[in-house]
Amino acid sequence: MAYRQQDPYYNSAPSPAIIPGFPPSAPTNHAQQYNEYDTQWDDRSAKSVQSSQFHGSQVALNPQYEKSQVNIHTPPVPAMPYHAYQQDYPPVQPHPGMLREMSTGYSVAREKLMKRRSVRHVELQNGNLVLDVAVPTHIVPKGMNGAEEMTKMRYTAATCDPDEFMRRKYSLRPYLYGRHTELFIVMTMYNEDEVLFVKTMNSVIKNIAHLCGRTRSKTWGPEGWKKVVVCVVSDGRSKVNKRTLQVLTLVSLLMMGLVCIPALYDFPRWDVTKKGIAKDSVAGRDVTAHIFEYTSNVVVTETGEVSTGVCPVQIIFCLKEQNKKKLNSHRWFFNAFGPLINPNVCVLLDVGTKPTGTSIYELWKCFDNHSNVGGACGEICVDTGTACSLLLMSPLAASQNFEYKMSNILDKPLESVFGYISVLPGAFSAYRYKALLNGPDGKGPLASYFKGEAMHGGGADGAGLFERNMYLAEDRILCFEIVTKKREGWILKYVKSAKAATDVPTTVPEFISQRRRWLNGSLFASFHSTIFFYRIWTSGQNPIRMLVLQIEFIYNAVQLIFTWTSLANFYLAFFLLVSSATTSTDGAFNFLSQGAGQDVFQVFLKLYIALLFVVTVCSLGNRPQGSKWIYGLCMILFGICNVITLWCAGWTVYLAVPHTLAGWKDFPNLVATNQAFREIVISLAATYGLYLFSSIMHLEPWHMFTSFIQYMFLLPSYVNILMMYAMCNLHDVTWGTKGDNGAAKDLGGAKKVKGENGKDMMEIEIPTAREDVDRMWAASRSALKMKAPEEKSHRDAETKQADHDRNSRTNVVLAWVGTNMLMILVFTSQAFLNWVNAHFATSQGSSFNPYLSFLFFALAGLSAVRFVGSLLYLIFRLFGH
């Protein structure tokens, strides 16, 4: 074919196998074909389509959120030269009888397809198994029957490590077509459901449609989709969500995938063999990844509604055979596909993150306008639900919303001005591919980025605990390596106009587990960047930038000191504020009774210390999932302690400020003479007043009203619980998911045989009836209309028993230590001593504690009993008993 003549590996190599029974496409000149196709975009007939809508699409993508986040007029998007192909769209709401038919229709369609398979001999392409499979007729756009990328799905069975992908002469369609790729977008997923996948995928499609609608751009325009490749990498074939696979089936990336991967579906009626097109091994080599390529024009919702998109989208779906975690997924993206695609900018997304309709363009524009930008990130917002319902229902989500907002208002802009952002979030960020590449010696940003994969996969090569924790924050290491890359002078930028919404943990165990990795990784990565700050001197930055970056590293070092001592600082602030507000005659709690402040102070001081002890014991051995009630109770009690602290701080401020207008006239003298006003009022106003002022300055003050109270209530937990748990689990250098070290051998192997001409051939068993493929596509669409039963995560028996044992141990330790601590607190408290002084006589001018008398008499009594027992033993022995 024409495009293969550009392949340097091409040397009379056979074309990818065409499945018998499907009509092969006629040989065409692809360049001529696509030029003809491009001319069909008629600017004069273009209809104005806003970035929050799809032309001809019924997909609900929540445009209200985007309009509230960014107000950018989107240029009109040209209409496509074909029409929607659904005759029954929008779909009819299914009734119970239809649902029963849908549940069996998918099984029947798949069973028929499996029965009609036949054995075929397929010639290898450059020694690799590559198949071109015809897609369902329903989704081929009108007039595009001659375009191979829109009529055939390409399957490649990769049998190598990602680093060897290009050396093993594997190839991808964008490379074979000789297209320049401006944007290479990766979406990583593990077991996310179809709702999260569709939310992210459709947002990406909207962004590509926006690029195609920029008709005045030199880079983009109607042909812009050819410069964008979307890569979806799924971590582990046995872990991927089956309904997400059905969505991919409708996009036609997995039309054969549902046949290829039957082990994911547990329908008891099936008694056919579990072998399809995809194979466990090819010529004796184990398959490491199944790669599906298709240029799709289909937009799908989580309920199976299908419509025509504004523009085609080049999609690569890489389904890894084993679960090797997210870093390995990025290695497939950067090291396997990156050298072939050779993009200008790489965009990283997590499935579940929803960028607004113009966010990807805003990120790309930052790179286009500034040639020295090596990486950029946008604003990650909390997905607050309809009418901010999540903020009202979950204080934990509201506190994270405030934290994210203030970071985007104060931290990210400051770091962007300096030129070094300490972390570009992996959930939504972009990098210039050139800035990521390693040097001739093999060292560089990508080498450092993937160093943690070997460390956490059992190949630590003598790496210490410090280094292994440091590489938990691989995104921070990558940012440092880009900025300090020798003689290249890259900087990092924050793009406020690029926004993306993401889900945050709403349960305590999930929240603690997530922050454990974040805190440990960020702490040690900060130590690393602070220690090796001198590498900025050889980075090729200009002298002014180098000076500014040096100031930033000093600022980061100071921040690091305060992070390290945050536990003590928070306790001391509590101790000093409460004690100072309760010792004066105008105590903060005199409204209870005169002098009640001291009693309140003693109670909450001891409660604070007890909570620290409880959190320490729980953190040393328990999983958050096993002690969620204890952690939840500690969060509430810490919040009450902070309420007491804020009340005392407010009372101190009230006493410090003048209560008349005359007292405020000489403000400089007030600051100079009133120490309490100078140290407390100004410091509190500089902290919390700065939050409000900066939020108003950025025209985003709403989080101050919806999330500030929740954040202040949970603030002690951020310091005392999250930091304590993180430090007590430094030995845990995992990402929180169990790796899958073995591959499920349930797909069969492709056997090497000799063909009639003596060439090596692969013997595979494949479906051959096209109507079966069409029927499978329709059945998948119907299956998605059924609402999936809610699946609750259950611990396996071993984990449940381990959690139970650890929790029992924790309860015993807390009961033992708590009983002893309670006795100490009671009998040494001022209230007990005052009671003794009032009810017991003094001896030689000093009171004698009655508990001490009880203790002495009890010990004497126990000793007497032991003595009597010993005496009786001697008497019985003397008389021979």
Side-chain angles (χ1 to χ4, degrees):
M1 295 186 184
Y3 66 78
R4 290 196 178 89
Q5 295 174 3
Q6 303 175 25
D7 187 358
Y9 307 144
Y10 176 75
N11 184 17
S12 300
S15 300
I18 304 299
I19 306 305
F22 296 154
S25 57
T28 58
N29 184 306
H30 284 268
Q32 178 182 355
Q33 169 191 316
Y34 281 98
N35 287 335
E36 292 174 357
Y37 170 73
D38 295 335
T39 58
Q40 296 179 18
W41 292 79
D42 188 356
D43 293 340
R44 291 171 296 179
S45 63
K47 295 183 179 180
S48 178
V49 179
Q50 299 299 325
S51 62
S52 60
Q53 297 176 326
F54 277 101
H55 177 63
S57 172
Q58 301 294 326
V59 182
L61 295 178
N62 192 12
Q64 287 78 12
Y65 169 79
E66 297 180 9
K67 291 179 182 177
S68 65
Q69 297 293 330
V70 59
N71 185 18
I72 298 177
H73 176 68
T74 306
V77 180
M80 292 298 290
Y82 43 80
H83 305 286
Y85 42 81
Q86 254 77 22
Q87 310 220 340
D88 55 344
Y89 188 83
V92 180
Q93 292 298 322
H95 53 76
M98 290 176 62
L99 294 179
R100 285 193 297 271
E101 293 175 5
M102 293 173 189
S103 62
T104 58
Y106 181 85
S107 303
V108 171
R110 185 189 177 281
E111 188 171 348
K112 285 184 178 180
L113 187 145
M114 296 294 286
K115 285 181 177 179
R116 297 192 192 186
R117 293 173 304 152
S118 58
V119 176
R120 293 290 184 269
H121 290 176
V122 177
E123 194 171 347
L124 297 180
Q125 181 186 0
N126 297 313
N128 304 312
L129 179 60
V130 180
L131 302 174
D132 277 349
V133 184
V135 301
T137 54
H138 309 77
I139 66 172
V140 178
K142 291 183 179 180
M144 294 294 108
N145 292 329
E148 186 181 44
E149 62 180 325
M150 297 185 185
T151 57
K152 291 183 173 60
M153 182 272 295
R154 190 173 198 252
Y155 168 74
T156 303
T159 59
C160 64
D161 185 79
D163 295 343
E164 300 176 351
F165 191 79
M166 192 169 181
R167 288 197 295 270
R168 292 286 187 89
K169 299 184 178 181
Y170 288 98
S171 59
L172 300 170
R173 274 181 172 171
Y175 169 75
L176 296 175
Y177 287 136
R179 290 174 178 168
H180 166 67
T181 300
E182 190 69 26
L183 280 171
F184 193 22
I185 304 170
V186 64
M187 294 166 46
T188 52
M189 67 178 183
Y190 174 56
N191 60 355
E192 287 79 1
D193 59 23
E194 76 281 7
V195 177
L196 293 176
F197 177 78
V198 165
K199 179 170 72 172
T200 304
M201 189 69 194
N202 288 350
S203 298
V204 170
I205 294 174
K206 289 171 65 178
N207 275 269
I208 298 174
H210 173 75
L211 297 174
C212 292
R214 303 193 68 87
T215 55
R216 297 183 180 180
S217 172
K218 295 180 180 179
T219 304
W220 305 110
E223 298 181 9
W225 64 270
K226 295 183 180 179
K227 300 178 182 179
V228 183
V229 178
V230 179
C231 177
V232 182
V233 185
S234 184
D235 192 15
R237 180 166 63 87
S238 62
K239 306 294 182 183
V240 65
N241 185 280
K242 60 184 181 182
R243 289 179 66 87
T244 302
L245 286 183
Q246 287 178 327
V247 172
L248 288 166
T249 300
L250 296 181
V251 181
S252 201
L253 273 168
L254 270 180
M255 175 38 57
M256 303 309 298
L258 293 179
V259 182
C260 304
I261 312 153
L264 298 171
Y265 297 86
D266 189 18
F267 292 117
R269 296 186 187 87
W270 293 357
D271 54 2
V272 296
T273 178
K274 293 182 177 180
K275 294 181 181 179
I277 286 183
K279 300 300 175 185
D280 293 323
S281 61
V282 176
R285 300 194 305 266
D286 288 341
V287 173
T288 55
H290 308 277
I291 301 168
F292 305 86
E293 299 175 75
Y294 181 66
T295 300
S296 176
N297 197 64
V298 176
V299 181
V300 185
T301 68
E302 66 271 14
T303 59
E305 297 180 18
V306 182
S307 57
T308 305
V310 174
C311 61
V313 179
Q314 300 179 95
I315 306 176
I316 300 171
F317 177 54
C318 176
L319 180 59
K320 292 157 52 182
E321 185 67 25
Q322 299 179 25
N323 169 28
K324 292 191 173 181
K325 305 191 176 97
K326 180 180 175 180
L327 203 55
N328 180 264
S329 298
H330 279 170
R331 195 152 65 89
W332 276 99
F333 174 73
F334 284 118
N335 290 2
F337 308 145
L340 286 170
I341 301 293
N342 193 25
N344 180 27
V345 176
C346 299
V347 179
L348 275 56
L349 281 171
D350 287 346
V351 167
T353 301
K354 179 186 176 183
T356 57
T358 60
S359 292
I360 293 179
Y361 169 75
E362 295 294 335
L363 283 180
W364 172 85
K365 188 170 67 172
C366 178
F367 291 93
D368 191 52
N369 291 339
H370 307 281
S371 59
N372 64 334
V373 172
C377 71
E379 177 183 354
I380 293 187
C381 313
V382 174
D383 191 351
T384 57
T386 305
C388 297
S389 57
L390 184 63
L391 302 183
L392 301 176
M393 298 175 61
S394 173
L396 196 59
S399 68
Q400 294 174 82
N401 178 58
F402 185 86
E403 182 189 20
Y404 278 44
K405 280 293 184 182
M406 294 316 304
S407 175
N408 292 324
I409 289 174
L410 295 177
D411 297 334
K412 286 289 191 293
L414 172 67
E415 293 178 332
S416 183
V417 170
F418 282 126
Y420 167 53
I421 298 176
S422 56
V423 57
L424 300 180
F428 180 55
S429 56
Y431 298 91
R432 194 184 297 272
Y433 185 65
K434 180 182 177 183
L436 295 172
L437 296 178
N438 300 324
D441 58 353
K443 296 180 180 179
L446 283 181
S448 298
Y449 182 62
F450 295 122
K451 192 174 180 180
E453 184 186 355
M455 289 183 181
H456 305 125
D461 294 331
L465 194 62
F466 180 98
E467 195 172 7
R468 281 180 287 160
N469 272 283
M470 179 180 76
Y471 279 99
L472 284 176
E474 71 283 345
D475 42 7
R476 291 179 179 266
I477 297 298
L478 184 62
C479 293
F480 180 75
E481 291 292 331
I482 290 174
V483 172
T484 59
K485 192 175 181 182
K486 284 190 176 182
R487 295 179 294 278
E488 296 204 8
W490 298 111
I491 63 172
L492 306 177
K493 283 284 186 181
Y494 170 64
V495 184
K496 179 72 174 176
S497 55
K499 300 176 184 291
T502 188
D503 295 324
V504 294
T506 55
T507 61
V508 173
E510 209 179 354
F511 180 56
I512 295 176
S513 298
Q514 180 200 64
R515 294 306 176 100
R516 187 270 310 169
R517 184 175 71 87
W518 285 12
L519 289 172
N520 283 349
S522 62
L523 179 67
F524 288 97
S526 298
F527 274 117
H528 174 78
S529 61
T530 302
I531 293 170
F532 293 97
F533 73 94
Y534 57 84
R535 288 179 53 186
I536 203 68
W537 301 341
T538 60
S539 63
Q541 308 284 353
N542 63 65
I544 297 178
R545 176 70 66 181
M546 202 175 298
L547 175 63
V548 170
L549 287 172
Q550 198 65 63
I551 295 173
E552 183 182 4
F553 279 111
I554 295 173
Y555 168 80
N556 288 342
V558 175
Q559 287 276 57
L560 182 60
I561 294 172
F562 277 97
T563 301
W564 182 262
T565 59
S566 59
L567 190 71
N569 287 333
F570 207 92
Y571 174 79
L572 291 174
F574 163 80
F575 180 89
L576 297 175
L577 280 172
V578 178
S579 62
S580 64
T582 54
T583 53
S584 63
T585 55
D586 295 329
F589 296 95
N590 281 355
F591 64 90
L592 297 176
S593 65
Q594 188 65 31
Q598 274 298 308
D599 295 333
V600 173
F601 173 62
Q602 290 297 325
V603 168
F604 279 95
L605 179 66
K606 292 174 173 58
L607 174 63
Y608 197 110
I609 296 173
L611 290 175
L612 287 178
F613 172 77
V614 170
V615 171
T616 303
V617 172
C618 290
S619 300
L620 282 172
N622 288 30
R623 293 191 324 133
Q625 290 81 358
S627 302
K628 58 183 178 181
W629 297 111
I630 296 179
Y631 281 119
L633 179 61
C634 288
M635 282 185 169
I636 294 173
L637 294 177
F638 268 129
I640 296 174
C641 289
N642 203 37
V643 171
I644 297 297
T645 305
L646 293 174
W647 167 254
C648 291
W651 182 259
T652 305
V653 169
Y654 171 75
L655 294 179
V657 301
H659 297 161
T660 62
L661 290 176
W664 289 93
K665 288 183 178 180
D666 193 1
F667 185 78
N669 182 61
L670 179 66
V671 174
T673 57
N674 193 326
Q675 183 180 3
F677 179 83
R678 184 173 62 249
E679 294 180 0
I680 298 178
V681 177
I682 294 180
S683 62
L684 290 175
T687 303
Y688 302 116
L690 182 65
Y691 287 166
L692 180 60
F693 180 75
S694 58
S695 299
I696 295 175
M697 186 174 64
H698 282 260
L699 303 179
E700 293 182 343
W702 311 117
H703 59 280
M704 295 296 299
F705 305 103
T706 61
S707 306
F708 179 69
I709 295 176
Q710 298 93 316
Y711 175 77
M712 293 304 299
F713 188 82
L714 292 175
L715 182 59
S717 299
Y718 277 81
V719 176
N720 297 314
I721 295 181
L722 299 184
M723 284 295 294
M724 183 70 76
Y725 183 80
M727 298 303 290
C728 289
N729 289 274
L730 287 177
H731 64 286
D732 184 2
V733 291
T734 65
W735 274 272
T737 56
K738 294 182 178 179
D740 184 11
N741 297 321
K745 301 292 184 180
D746 55 359
L747 301 182
K751 217 169 32 171
K752 182 184 286 188
V753 296
K754 288 290 184 182
E756 296 179 356
N757 54 3
K759 291 184 178 181
D760 289 336
M761 308 284 285
M762 283 293 115
E763 185 179 271
I764 59 175
E765 197 172 11
I766 54 178
T768 56
R770 182 158 192 156
E771 60 270 20
D772 289 340
V773 176
D774 291 344
R775 189 179 293 112
M776 277 289 296
W777 186 89
S780 296
R781 181 186 175 192
S782 299
L784 278 174
K785 292 178 183 178
M786 289 192 303
K787 187 176 181 180
E790 187 175 351
E791 296 182 6
K792 295 183 178 180
S793 57
H794 297 286
R795 296 170 290 175
D796 56 71
E798 183 180 355
T799 304
K800 191 173 183 179
Q801 183 63 42
D803 282 343
H804 176 74
D805 293 343
R806 290 169 182 165
N807 206 35
S808 300
R809 174 201 59 193
T810 299
N811 292 337
V812 172
V813 172
L814 291 178
W816 171 63
V817 177
T819 304
N820 287 272
M821 291 295 294
L822 181 64
M823 291 179 62
I824 294 172
L825 293 175
V826 169
F827 293 115
T828 60
S829 65
Q830 191 62 42
F832 180 77
L833 295 178
N834 292 337
W835 180 79
V836 170
N837 291 334
H839 294 84
F840 290 87
T842 60
S843 175
Q844 295 181 353
S846 62
S847 60
F848 194 76
N849 197 310
Y851 182 75
L852 193 59
S853 301
F854 164 76
L855 195 60
F856 286 161
F857 282 114
L859 291 175
L862 292 174
S863 298
V865 171
R866 294 166 66 194
F867 173 76
V868 171
S870 177
L871 180 63
L872 291 175
Y873 174 77
L874 290 176
I875 293 174
F876 290 152
R877 186 179 180 187
L878 181 64
F879 290 98
H881 290 284

